[in-house]
Amino acid sequence: MTDVENPDRPLARRTRRLFAVAAVVLALDLLTKIVAVAVIEPGRPIEIIGDTVTLRMVRNAGAAFSMATGMTWLLTLVAVAVVVGVIRIGRTLRSGWWAVGLGLVLGGALGNLIDRFFRSPGPLQGHVVDFVSIGWWPVFNVADSSIVCGAVLLVIITLFGIEPDGTRRADDKGDDAAVTESAAATESEKKA
């Protein structure tokens, strides 16, 4: 059966892509955090490229860039809402690019959410393991990178007018020009 005969098939394929991307990101995030906790001693960074790129153990109680450190429980609830929202949107996707972008966001959100639930000091209060340090940039992890890359991809495809259902949003000015052209053609037909 072709995709035209079965319109749910592309939907299922896009949903599988979203969950496959999320699963790969989650697995990489968990694996790298396990290795980082086992290898990197707090206060003793490992130099990769001088002091520009290092592996440095940081337990982050806050959001990105260590903001909202006293609101870990709220950040956990926001992450849960993001996961639920992405899954709900993902069930209706027909765009492969949206599936990849949302998969990156979902995998990253789940990776950090697992830290919030299962790392000390306790459920909903857990500190996220961050370990990659590049220059002046705040220390981050695979999940953080995935969320940022997914968000950037979603912004780019939105700017190009690609909708989650796979259609392209028409340019407003292009629509106005088409309407004007159509009205002019109708008017000239009336005169003829």
Side-chain angles (χ1 to χ4, degrees):
M1 190 178 281
T2 66
D3 291 346
V4 174
E5 294 170 9
N6 184 358
D8 291 333
R9 191 166 177 203
L11 177 63
R13 192 172 30 223
R14 300 308 183 253
T15 303
R16 281 194 306 270
R17 182 179 297 169
L18 182 147
F19 289 120
V21 169
V24 168
V25 168
L26 180 59
L28 285 172
D29 184 61
L30 293 175
L31 178 64
T32 56
K33 286 176 180 174
I34 289 168
V35 171
V37 168
V39 173
I40 305 168
E41 294 179 39
R44 299 190 71 182
I46 299 170
E47 292 184 358
I48 304 297
I49 301 175
D51 62 350
T52 303
V53 179
T54 60
L55 299 179
R56 173 184 320 261
M57 180 58 60
V58 174
R59 304 286 181 141
N60 183 358
F65 315 119
S66 296
M67 295 186 305
T69 55
M71 306 194 72
T72 306
W73 63 273
L74 180 60
L75 297 171
T76 303
L77 295 178
V78 168
V80 168
V82 167
V83 167
V84 169
V86 168
I87 290 171
R88 289 190 70 193
I89 291 170
R91 294 175 31 207
T92 63
L93 282 180
R94 294 196 185 279
S95 165
W97 288 110
W98 272 86
V100 171
L102 288 173
L104 289 168
V105 170
L106 178 61
L110 285 171
N112 284 339
L113 192 57
I114 287 171
D115 282 1
R116 298 275 184 221
F117 275 111
F118 297 110
R119 294 206 185 267
S120 64
L124 299 177
Q125 300 290 322
H127 296 178
V128 173
V129 172
D130 290 333
F131 58 91
V132 180
S133 178
I134 300 177
W136 53 268
W137 198 257
V139 182
F140 60 95
N141 59 38
V142 171
D144 297 336
S145 300
S146 178
I147 292 168
V148 169
C149 290
V152 167
L153 176 59
L154 293 174
V155 167
I156 290 170
I157 61 178
T158 299
L159 291 174
F160 278 102
I162 300 172
E163 299 289 335
D165 66 3
T167 61
R168 283 190 168 269
R169 184 179 60 245
D171 182 24
D172 292 337
K173 292 180 182 176
D175 287 347
D176 292 345
V179 169
T180 304
E181 252 180 56
S182 176
T186 305
E187 193 62 35
S188 66
E189 285 177 7
K190 286 181 184 176
K191 290 180 182 178

